[in-house]
Amino acid sequence: MADKKFASIPSAHVYENPLLSSIRNTYSSFWERREALGLSNPGTFENISREFQRDVSLTNFMFTGLRAEWNKPFSNSPIFQLSHQLSMGAQAMSPYTFSALYGSSSVFLQGTMENDGSLSARSNFRWNDSLVTKTNAQIQPGQSMLSIENDYSGRDFTASLKAMNPSIIEGGVKGIFIASYLQSVTPSLALGLEAVWQRVAMNSSPEALLSYGAKYKGSDWIASLQMQTEGPQGSGINSSYWRKLTDKVSVGADLSLQFAPGLSGQGGLMGGGLQKEGSASAAAKYEFRASTFRAQVDSKGRLSCMLEKTILPAVRVTFAGEMDHLKQQAKVGVGVSVEAMSEDLMEQADKGAVQAPSPPF
């Protein structure tokens, strides 16, 4: 009995301590007010302008030349499929690419091999509902790259830590390390920052960079702003705006400004003032019953458009075109995608007999 009495004394002193009690009450009050706001997860800092970049912008969709893609799904749950892609007349695309994909509720694996021997592999693993580890490796003739990223998604924030080509075998730390944090402060506004530290080689000095970001959500529109502080390559501002006009129509605009230290004199010494560069673009997306049309125009005199048309449930045709009025150049791209799904898988998908998992993309 005496041992139990003395064992309970320190605990009682801790709870009766005025300072600790005040800290505990303040912490509880903070969390209660935070819960009352009803904040949602804002996504990652890297994808702060995701709505414009992935929905209406043509920057990541444009291609030239001829492209043919054949996909063969073998399973819906877990997801497993193979694909072959052939291209001609496009400098940024390999003539032949083979890829394999596997996805479950906790694992996502993708491997790609090109005709020149280049190999890339992605591996995402979901440890729990909040933590996902992403690994990306690329092996090309004469160079290689490895990146490891950890994303932690809380109820109203996301924290990320990424390392690219990290190494300590040369007597020190080198590579690129990126840490970011994005926090919802109101149901509509999210604020965040990103810190970058890099050292290319041990005989060079490390470089650091800090960026700030904000994202605001309206009823049917989203605006984002990123500000990069002064660094070795200068500073910059990037803003984007996305709006959903109707259920079928979305529009957006993007503005980017870069300020880099100028050069003066024949020796290339610093001090020649700031070199200012800027670009702006506006884009729109129209969704029809069996097709999607995207169009974009930018301040460099380029007009781009893309039409994706579903001819059959398993066949999709894509037409892309770009006109550069300043350079007096035109580019055209045509692509065909075929999904060779078996009758059993098509029947399962139509009936909803098998629910496809949500891999940690």
Side-chain angles (χ1 to χ4, degrees):
M1 294 292 295
D3 293 341
K4 293 183 179 180
K5 180 178 180 181
F6 284 111
S8 63
I9 291 178
S11 144
H13 280 299
V14 170
Y15 283 97
E16 294 176 0
N17 187 287
L19 178 60
L20 296 179
S21 178
S22 176
I23 294 175
R24 186 174 65 255
N25 293 336
T26 302
Y27 181 79
S28 300
S29 176
F30 169 77
W31 275 102
E32 290 176 358
R33 294 182 180 181
R34 187 174 178 179
E35 293 287 341
L37 290 175
L39 303 179
S40 59
N41 186 280
T44 61
F45 188 93
E46 182 181 6
N47 295 324
I48 197 171
S49 58
R50 175 178 181 176
E51 288 74 18
F52 173 79
Q53 296 293 339
R54 299 191 181 184
D55 187 38
V56 297
S57 177
L58 275 175
T59 304
N60 298 325
F61 293 95
M62 279 299 300
F63 68 96
T64 59
L66 301 177
R67 184 179 69 181
E69 185 176 359
W70 182 82
N71 299 318
K72 176 60 177 177
F74 291 91
S75 173
N76 289 329
S77 182
I79 300 173
F80 177 64
Q81 70 176 31
L82 303 177
S83 67
H84 304 265
Q85 181 174 294
L86 301 173
S87 64
M88 183 174 59
Q91 297 180 354
M93 300 177 62
S94 176
Y96 172 74
T97 302
F98 170 78
S99 63
L101 183 148
Y102 174 87
S104 65
S105 58
S106 59
V107 177
F108 173 74
L109 302 173
Q110 184 179 23
T112 303
M113 176 172 287
E114 300 179 359
N115 62 290
D116 61 352
S118 300
L119 176 65
S120 62
R122 293 176 56 193
S123 173
N124 299 350
F125 184 79
R126 179 184 285 127
W127 300 93
N128 50 49
D129 294 339
S130 301
L131 181 61
V132 175
T133 298
K134 304 177 182 179
T135 305
N136 188 3
Q138 296 181 6
I139 301 176
Q140 300 177 355
Q143 61 179 351
S144 60
M145 189 275 291
L146 173 66
S147 67
I148 303 173
E149 181 177 3
N150 290 282
D151 293 339
Y152 185 86
S153 301
R155 179 175 300 179
D156 55 7
F157 73 93
T158 299
S160 302
L161 183 61
K162 185 176 184 179
M164 300 178 62
N165 288 340
S167 175
I168 57 174
I169 61 176
E170 298 182 13
V173 179
K174 73 173 186 177
I176 302 176
F177 301 89
I178 305 174
S180 62
Y181 183 85
L182 189 61
Q183 170 74 57
S184 294
V185 294
T186 70
S188 301
L189 179 63
L191 302 176
L193 57 85
E194 181 182 71
V196 180
W197 185 93
Q198 63 176 358
R199 174 183 283 174
V200 180
M202 294 305 302
N203 55 3
S204 62
S205 58
E207 301 175 353
L209 185 66
L210 189 63
S211 300
Y212 303 93
K215 185 176 184 178
Y216 189 88
K217 291 184 178 181
S219 58
D220 57 357
W221 60 275
I222 298 176
S224 65
L225 176 66
Q226 289 179 271
M227 299 180 61
Q228 178 180 317
T229 59
E230 186 72 24
Q233 304 299 328
S235 58
I237 299 175
N238 183 269
S239 61
S240 67
Y241 177 81
W242 174 87
R243 188 181 187 113
K244 195 170 189 64
L245 299 180
T246 67
D247 294 339
K248 304 294 184 180
V249 182
S250 302
V251 296
D254 178 78
L255 174 64
S256 179
L257 300 175
Q258 298 293 329
F259 307 95
L263 303 178
S264 65
Q266 298 180 354
L269 298 178
M270 305 299 292
L274 287 177
Q275 292 182 350
K276 305 175 184 178
E277 295 183 0
S279 63
S281 63
K285 185 181 78 169
Y286 299 83
E287 292 181 324
F288 302 97
R289 184 179 61 85
S291 61
T292 302
F293 177 76
R294 290 181 173 90
Q296 178 175 301
V297 60
D298 60 27
S299 58
K300 297 181 180 180
R302 293 179 298 188
L303 175 63
S304 309
C305 62
M306 174 181 289
L307 175 64
E308 294 178 309
K309 173 71 174 179
T310 301
I311 300 177
L312 296 173
V315 180
R316 186 177 72 251
V317 180
T318 304
F319 301 94
E322 180 181 282
M323 295 180 60
D324 194 326
H325 292 82
L326 297 182
K327 297 182 180 180
Q328 298 295 317
Q329 296 179 353
K331 301 178 181 179
V332 178
V334 179
V336 178
S337 178
V338 178
E339 187 169 351
M341 183 179 293
S342 64
E343 294 182 0
D344 294 339
L345 293 181
M346 292 182 65
E347 185 178 355
Q348 293 177 5
D350 294 337
K351 295 182 179 180
V354 178
Q355 184 177 3
S358 178
F361 297 112

